Amino acid sequence: MFSLGSWLPAWHGLAWGWALLDALLQGLVGACAVSVLCSLLKVYLYIQCLNDPARQAEKEAIRAQREALEPLHVVVLTAALALVGSRVAALVVLEFSLRAVSMLLSVGKGTPRSQLYLLCQYSLGCGMSCGLSFLLEGAPHSTSNLALAAGLAGLLAAYSRRLARHVCSLYELHSRQRYCGVCLLLLASGHGIPRLLRNALALTFALADLAAVELINRDFLSTLEALRFWTPLTICYTLLGPQQSAHQTVLVRMGGLFILLLTVGRWPDVFHVLISLLAEFWCLLRAGVMLDMCQQQ
């Protein structure tokens, strides 16, 4: 692959433009990953409601979600992830990983994890963004690689949305008449979607955590400075009980990061945390119907 930037003069303004394009492409990959996650969860929850006569109202609520708003959701999330730098994105990934481990240990293994999957939307986008930033740092053809990754992520997101739309429209009919291959596959193995998401998210966050630790620790000159940074972030999770609402959890998490960066961060980081707070609420608002269903379970 060739790098378009290598064919053009090395102007400072042009380099800034390529950096902005890279940030947008990284944000697009993260936004598409969130879209795939939500589409698969929508398919799973819809099938669960369809199999339970007492949850027909919830099934209709999922079906009533406006598909036309999905492109807007991707655009807003892409912009937010592009604005947030890799430093704050790495912080968001690490603090959510700590929160997820704390939640899983406190609520037990038998608790449904669909709510945790919905809470990780923005953190997943940040994980994809900072992971790509770390892997492609210094690469000679980074823009071309990011464009390829964004194209593949866009295809996966489009097919996932198409699957969700097909299930909400025709699964009930096709599963009875048994003549649609996609619906028959979901009928036989749709219960395995949470396990698929769990494995995919575990791998994604494991790789993102490694990249995030490397990106964050570059800013510390000694072990004492790193300890001063991580100790308050770890302690703040004692304020988060497993029964708190999703919005309260987001406020405490981002509030902890905000106070932390006021003391040891930079002013652009504080601004990026505020953007992250708005993006977290945007993701929760978009997935409000599914989140309510998971909390009722």
Side-chain angles (χ1 to χ4, degrees):
M1 281 190 176
F2 63 91
S3 177
L4 295 178
S6 62
W7 293 81
L8 298 173
W11 295 337
H12 178 73
L14 192 61
W16 182 87
W18 284 115
L20 177 60
L21 178 60
D22 288 351
L24 287 172
L25 290 173
Q26 290 173 11
L28 180 58
V29 173
C32 289
V34 174
S35 179
V36 171
L37 171 66
C38 291
S39 296
L40 292 180
L41 275 177
K42 185 176 182 179
V43 169
Y44 173 72
L45 292 175
Y46 184 85
I47 294 175
Q48 293 297 307
C49 292
L50 190 63
N51 295 331
D52 188 352
R55 301 176 64 185
Q56 297 307 301
E58 297 175 356
K59 180 197 74 173
E60 294 301 326
I62 292 179
R63 179 183 288 179
Q65 286 184 306
R66 298 180 179 178
E67 291 294 331
L69 294 179
E70 183 62 25
L72 176 62
H73 177 63
V74 173
V75 170
V76 172
L77 199 52
T78 298
L81 291 171
L83 286 173
V84 174
S86 59
R87 174 182 164 96
V88 172
L91 279 175
V92 171
V93 171
L94 290 173
E95 63 87 16
F96 181 82
S97 299
L98 288 173
R99 169 58 179 158
V101 171
S102 175
M103 178 183 291
L104 292 176
L105 291 177
S106 61
V107 301
K109 296 183 179 180
T111 302
R113 301 178 182 182
S114 300
Q115 182 178 358
L116 185 59
Y117 297 156
L118 290 172
L119 291 176
C120 82
Q121 293 178 73
Y122 180 69
S123 301
L124 172 62
C126 288
M128 297 296 293
S129 180
C130 75
L132 287 172
S133 176
F134 175 73
L135 291 174
L136 297 177
E137 186 177 16
H141 310 303
S142 59
T143 303
S144 302
N145 294 331
L146 283 172
L148 177 60
L152 294 175
L155 285 176
L156 285 176
Y159 279 115
S160 299
R161 289 199 301 270
R162 182 179 177 182
L163 174 64
R165 185 166 57 250
H166 177 84
V167 168
C168 292
S169 302
L170 299 171
Y171 178 81
E172 187 173 3
L173 174 64
H174 289 175
S175 60
R176 288 199 308 263
Q177 299 185 356
R178 298 179 182 272
Y179 65 80
C180 173
V182 173
C183 294
L184 288 178
L185 179 63
L186 289 173
L187 184 64
S189 58
H191 60 277
I193 292 178
R195 184 172 63 252
L196 172 66
L197 292 177
R198 180 194 63 198
N199 295 336
L201 289 173
L203 178 61
T204 301
F205 275 101
L207 296 176
D209 286 338
L210 292 175
V213 168
E214 177 63 25
L215 289 172
I216 291 299
N217 285 340
R218 291 176 183 176
D219 294 327
F220 301 115
L221 301 178
S222 66
T223 304
L224 181 60
E225 289 184 358
L227 185 64
R228 187 182 66 173
F229 186 89
W230 289 114
T231 300
L233 184 61
T234 305
I235 292 176
C236 80
Y237 289 98
T238 61
L239 303 174
L240 288 168
Q243 302 301 322
Q244 284 185 307
S245 69
H247 295 86
Q248 289 175 331
T249 300
V250 170
L251 283 174
V252 174
R253 285 170 47 209
M254 291 301 167
L257 279 182
F258 183 81
I259 296 173
L260 184 63
L261 290 175
L262 280 177
T263 58
V264 298
R266 308 164 184 162
W267 284 111
D269 294 337
V270 175
F271 175 66
H272 293 159
V273 170
L274 294 177
I275 295 177
S276 297
L277 177 63
L278 295 176
E280 285 268 18
F281 279 129
W282 173 262
C283 291
L284 294 180
L285 180 64
R286 178 73 180 103
V289 173
M290 294 189 290
L291 192 59
D292 291 340
M293 292 174 56
C294 295
Q295 289 175 342
Q296 290 173 8
Q297 290 180 357

